[in-house]
Amino acid sequence: MFIDRYGVRSLVAVATKLITVATVFSALVLAKGPCDSPIYCQGDLLHTVQMAKLYSDDKTFVDKPTLKPPAQVLANFAQIGGANASREALIKFVDENFGQEGSELKPVELTELDATPAFLNNVTDPLLRAFGQTVNGYWSTLVREQDYSSLCEGCISSMLSLKYHFAVPGGRFREIYYWDTYFTLEGMLRSGLKDLTRSIIRDLLAFVDFHGFVPNGARVYYLNRSQPPMLALMVKIYYEHTGDAAFVAEALPLLEKEHAYWQANHLVNVTKPDDSGTVQLSRYIVDTDQPRPEAYTKDYELAHNATTDPAVQAAIYADMATGAESGWDYSTRWVKNPSAQVDRLLYGIRTRQVIPVELNAILCQVEQALANFVDIANCSSPSANYRELAQTRRNAMYSMFYDQPSGLFYDYILDERQRSNILSPAALWPYWSFGADESNTSHDGGARANAAFSPVGRILGKSPGGFPATLYNSGQQWDYPSVWPPLQYVLMQGALNTGHVDLATQLAQTFVQSVLCAWYKTGGSIPGILEKLPNTTDSGHMFEKFDSTQIGKEGGGGEYNVQAGFGWTNGVLIWTLDTFGKSLVAPSCPGTPLGADSAATSSATPASATTLVIPTSATSDSNSISSTPPFVSSSSLAPAMATSSSTP
């Protein structure tokens, strides 16, 4: 029984046989899908099954392993009429030829898990300490190992093989994901799972060794895109917790290889505002002309509703895949008109034209980390090279992203040659990456950091559930009112890095309150400390995102229903409790015994455009892109600011 080390069972072997089929060969030649599988990545079978909408979530089908070898599956598809098969025939075909999604996985007993980890000693409040201990125990529900024993000889799965145990986010996300893992590990390390953390990082390093980069997730249909490149930062936090210099030395060559991939494939030359030359910055970019297999119908219908031009349709597919590579799928950050009608917003997707602040901030952190790793490993590569790269990138970020009056960093739009006007936590990401940069007096780092974080407190004061992803209520999940744990983490880190401890603590209190109240309202309880709410049947959900307008409300919007689990929520919560636990207090959960007298705030409405103060730029400076930098004024945003207009 053959299993590829870094692919699905026998997929490579059978592919050479499958391409002899004329129709398959034609599809492989003409299409630029994420892989060459005529089942999971492109071709008539994928198109026909997905467009039949047999499942509410397109990911369901492509996560199913086959019950027969691929050649037999394709032959059976042809026998029912192929692309002309009826819906009834397709239902029967899938039932007879595909197994249950997730059947290649099994849970893992975590013998390493510390039931009373040290971070609990940093949590003063008894309820929060008990909640932290409860969440600490959830890791066993999210750690998996692969088990292909149920697959037949020659059968395949869309999963990429992993050697070690790994953490899944939860819900529909049955595989490891790249940038999720960083935030998950922040919690796992504090739960004593150091060996597991090292093994997870080793599997991601193995992806770099085999593929040259870390895919979006461990599926063949993710092989044409990555995600925010935080692998070096995972090694950094692992080293900070363990002092394992030998592992740093082991990881360094592959971390350098990944950095080289991002340099070779994601750098773009950008002309300076004064036309005095160019700088190099990085962007997300995916080369494809096909719908994403895991969201096939959504991409296909979006492209065909937007235009009849095949070239424009292909561009939409590429920009949708690029948006997924960013991790922010999807947001008004990536569209031409953020005030377009909700159902037409993504007609104007242009992700490849956006130079994102946070990607470059992350790569600056990566380059700083690599320089330190070279020193730790005592290897021959000169660490000064990476420090120089980091400084060059930082200077370029100030040239293209930085708005001096507000102290904020805004995305740069290539085809418009100007900064974006979308305010999001990404605008503050550099303050986590390199602080206030007070060493560079031309940027007046300390004063500008104060200006940059000032609106965070004001917006947070109008957002009881947390700081939203953007201020546009577009219906997309990475916009208002969604509150994402990794973005709260970045804001807290940036605030701490610039001395805004009170604001960081306010962010922490708000985040912990949202997580605990949502969990409590969905049936969470702690024996002897917190009784289960009546009329609740579940046992408490850790959601992937929350709603900024209400305390303890799960987030919504986007392509799928909100998921519970949830890896990065658990990780950021544990990090937050460890970092701020001595200052945090038990939350008030409106409408429950934990907040009976605070019910008045349970349905707090988003601030109107006249009350929520958004940073504006009254004047330009030497770093401005145009004479009037295009920053959004408070009067141009609706309570959450502009849902959508009636025009696209």
Side-chain angles (χ1 to χ4, degrees):
M1 192 174 292
F2 175 72
I3 303 177
D4 287 311
R5 170 62 184 87
Y6 298 107
V8 297
R9 179 195 302 254
S10 67
L11 184 57
V12 175
V14 300
T16 56
K17 299 177 182 178
L18 296 178
I19 60 174
T20 60
V21 180
T23 56
V24 175
F25 178 77
S26 175
L28 295 178
V29 170
L30 297 176
K32 290 191 290 186
C35 77
D36 61 4
S37 169
I39 294 174
Y40 295 118
C41 289
Q42 55 187 287
D44 285 347
L45 189 156
L46 176 66
H47 176 83
T48 305
V49 171
Q50 295 289 47
M51 294 306 295
K53 299 185 178 180
L54 305 184
Y55 306 99
S56 59
D57 185 349
D58 288 344
K59 192 173 186 296
T60 301
F61 172 67
V62 290
D63 284 3
K64 290 178 173 291
T66 66
L67 296 176
K68 299 176 176 64
Q72 185 61 53
V73 172
L74 291 172
N76 292 346
F77 176 66
Q79 286 178 0
I80 64 168
N84 298 315
S86 68
R87 179 180 173 84
E88 292 73 18
L90 288 170
I91 292 172
K92 183 180 180 183
F93 163 74
V94 172
D95 286 344
E96 292 178 348
N97 289 271
F98 292 88
Q100 182 68 32
E101 58 276 13
S103 58
E104 321 94 312
L105 302 174
K106 65 181 183 181
V108 173
E109 182 180 357
L110 289 182
T111 57
E112 185 191 11
L113 182 66
D114 185 349
T116 56
F119 81 83
L120 295 175
N121 297 328
N122 295 325
V123 185
T124 302
D125 183 84
L127 174 58
L128 294 183
R129 190 185 311 116
F131 182 52
Q133 188 167 16
T134 300
V135 174
N136 179 71
Y138 288 165
W139 294 125
S140 60
T141 69
L142 296 175
V143 177
R144 302 282 187 274
E145 66 178 343
Q146 293 178 332
D147 179 7
Y148 291 102
S149 62
S150 64
L151 270 64
C152 71
E153 182 73 29
C155 290
I156 65 170
S157 162
S158 62
M159 290 202 78
L160 300 174
S161 289
L162 296 162
K163 182 177 181 181
Y164 302 103
H165 299 160
F166 56 94
V168 301
R172 73 196 284 268
F173 302 112
R174 291 172 281 265
E175 50 285 313
I176 192 171
Y177 281 79
Y178 186 6
W179 83 308
D180 293 56
T181 301
Y182 172 85
F183 303 99
T184 300
L185 295 185
E186 277 282 38
M188 283 189 162
L189 284 164
R190 288 168 169 80
S191 295
L193 297 171
K194 296 175 182 177
D195 290 346
L196 177 60
T197 294
R198 184 176 62 246
S199 294
I200 289 172
I201 294 172
R202 277 186 170 138
D203 264 332
L204 297 179
L205 289 167
F207 283 149
V208 176
D209 190 28
F210 192 80
H211 299 292
F213 67 101
V214 181
N216 184 149
R219 296 278 180 180
V220 293
Y221 53 73
Y222 289 144
L223 282 174
N224 64 347
R225 67 183 195 250
S226 187
Q227 266 193 335
M230 302 183 76
L231 182 54
L233 305 187
M234 298 180 211
V235 175
K236 177 178 180 288
I237 59 173
Y238 170 78
Y239 176 74
E240 290 169 351
H241 280 264
T242 65
D244 188 350
F247 184 69
V248 170
E250 172 191 327
L252 182 57
L254 291 172
L255 295 176
E256 292 185 296
K257 181 176 181 179
E258 187 199 27
H259 179 264
Y261 162 83
W262 281 88
Q263 292 291 90
N265 294 281
H266 292 266
L267 272 180
V268 61
N269 291 322
V270 187
T271 302
K272 289 183 178 181
D274 58 3
D275 292 319
S276 63
T278 62
V279 297
Q280 287 193 318
L281 288 165
S282 300
R283 61 174 167 170
Y284 299 107
I285 184 166
V286 179
D287 182 22
T288 186
D289 59 4
Q290 301 291 299
R292 292 167 296 146
E294 79 283 4
Y296 195 97
T297 61
K298 292 177 174 61
D299 283 5
Y300 185 89
E301 290 173 353
L302 170 69
H304 284 75
N305 288 336
T307 180
T308 58
D309 185 336
V312 179
Q313 290 170 352
I316 289 174
Y317 295 146
D319 281 312
M320 290 295 286
T322 302
E325 182 172 64
S326 78
W328 294 52
D329 42 342
Y330 291 91
S331 169
T332 46
R333 291 180 66 197
W334 314 136
V335 303
K336 189 171 183 65
N337 180 9
S339 298
Q341 281 182 224
V342 169
D343 59 350
R344 297 187 179 187
L345 181 79
L346 294 177
Y347 290 4
I349 192 166
R350 54 164 182 188
T351 322
R352 293 171 298 166
Q353 291 297 323
V354 180
I355 310 297
V357 170
E358 82 283 356
L359 173 59
N360 288 279
I362 290 167
L363 286 167
C364 188
Q365 288 172 285
V366 167
E367 287 154 355
Q368 292 167 331
L370 289 175
N372 292 334
F373 293 164
V374 168
D375 293 340
I376 291 167
N378 291 317
C379 67
S380 57
S381 299
S383 59
N385 289 354
Y386 287 114
R387 291 193 172 92
E388 183 178 343
L389 284 173
Q391 186 60 53
T392 299
R393 187 182 298 275
R394 186 184 309 185
N395 291 341
M397 291 173 66
Y398 274 108
S399 294
M400 309 309 297
F401 298 146
Y402 186 60
D403 174 58
Q404 190 164 346
S406 70
L408 294 166
F409 294 77
Y410 285 87
D411 300 330
Y412 185 77
I413 312 301
L414 282 171
D415 57 357
E416 293 180 357
R417 292 200 63 194
Q418 65 179 1
R419 298 192 198 110
S420 168
N421 62 7
I422 304 294
L423 175 64
S424 77
L428 293 133
W429 202 301
Y431 290 107
W432 174 33
S433 298
F434 43 80
D437 200 20
E438 294 188 56
S439 61
N440 193 330
T441 55
S442 66
H443 300 135
D444 194 12
R448 295 310 169 191
N450 290 337
F453 280 95
S454 178
V456 175
R458 295 197 295 270
I459 292 170
L460 196 63
K462 301 292 185 179
S463 306
F467 196 94
T470 73
L471 302 179
Y472 282 93
N473 192 358
S474 71
Q476 295 301 317
Q477 64 173 347
W478 286 86
D479 280 322
Y480 186 95
S482 292
V483 173
W484 289 93
L487 300 186
Q488 308 311 295
Y489 171 95
V490 169
L491 290 172
M492 286 184 267
Q493 288 276 32
L496 287 176
N497 224 12
T498 54
H500 295 85
V501 177
D502 289 346
L503 177 59
T505 304
Q506 183 186 359
L507 285 159
Q509 181 69 47
T510 303
F511 174 67
V512 170
Q513 181 166 265
S514 286
V515 176
L516 192 153
C517 291
W519 170 85
Y520 181 44
K521 290 177 179 180
T522 53
S525 63
I526 304 172
I529 295 179
L530 185 63
E531 292 186 6
K532 188 182 184 75
L533 284 173
N535 303 316
T536 55
T537 57
D538 291 342
S539 57
H541 294 315
M542 300 291 289
F543 291 108
E544 64 169 340
K545 60 181 180 285
F546 302 89
D547 188 307
S548 70
T549 69
Q550 296 186 36
I551 297 169
K553 181 182 179 183
E554 70 274 18
E559 297 182 323
Y560 56 84
N561 294 328
V562 63
Q563 301 295 297
F566 198 85
W568 64 21
T569 305
N570 303 4
V572 174
L573 178 88
I574 289 173
W575 174 85
T576 303
L577 291 175
D578 185 36
T579 305
F580 300 94
K582 295 186 186 304
S583 302
L584 301 178
V585 298
S588 293
C589 302
T592 77
L594 276 179
D597 34 22
S598 58
T601 64
S602 63
S603 58
T605 55
S608 69
T610 57
T611 58
L612 181 53
V613 181
I614 309 303
T616 60
S617 292
T619 59
S620 61
D621 61 73
S622 59
N623 291 321
S624 296
I625 300 305
S626 60
S627 58
T628 306
F631 298 111
V632 180
S633 67
S634 57
S635 61
S636 67
L637 296 175
M641 303 294 69
T643 40
S644 294
S645 70
S646 59
T647 56

